[in-house]
Amino acid sequence: MPIISLHAAHPTKEQKEKLIADLTRVAAEDLVIAPEYFYVMISEHDLDNWGVGGKPLEKFLAEKKQK
């Protein structure tokens, strides 16, 4: 049973449903395994639990918006 694990900063319910469907479909096609055998786990994290370039993700994203 293949497991797909995704870490994200609070996707919406709709985004999670789409991710589960899309990730399963692509992996099943690429690995030639029936979709019903896949498990998808989405781990949600607050922005202040992530760091990019030595900065909290929230600050990093805010700076990117300003550019």
Side-chain angles (χ1 to χ4, degrees), residues 32-67:
V32 191
I33 298 172
E36 58 266 19
Y37 292 107
F38 282 85
Y39 285 78
V40 178
M41 296 177 5
I42 299 174
S43 299
E44 297 183 52
H45 304 279
D46 292 327
L47 292 180
D48 60 356
N49 290 336
W50 293 75
V52 177
K55 299 175 185 175
L57 181 58
E58 191 168 30
K59 187 173 190 175
F60 176 83
L61 294 173
E63 290 173 358
K64 291 293 247 184
K65 274 188 175 180
Q66 294 174 355
K67 291 181 181 182

Side-chain angles (χ1 to χ4, degrees), residues 1-56:
M1 102 186 62
I3 299 172
I4 300 169
S5 179
L6 174 74
H7 295 264
H10 298 296
T12 65
K13 182 177 181 177
E14 292 79 18
Q15 288 171 325
K16 287 188 270 189
E17 288 178 8
K18 184 171 178 3
L19 280 166
I20 290 168
D22 291 348
L23 291 169
T24 300
R25 178 184 47 77
V26 170
E29 289 172 3
D30 289 352
L31 296 174
V32 191
I33 298 172
E36 58 266 19
Y37 292 107
F38 282 85
Y39 285 78
V40 178
M41 296 177 5
I42 299 174
S43 299
E44 297 183 52
H45 304 279
D46 292 327
L47 292 180
D48 60 356
N49 290 336
W50 293 75
V52 177
K55 299 175 185 175

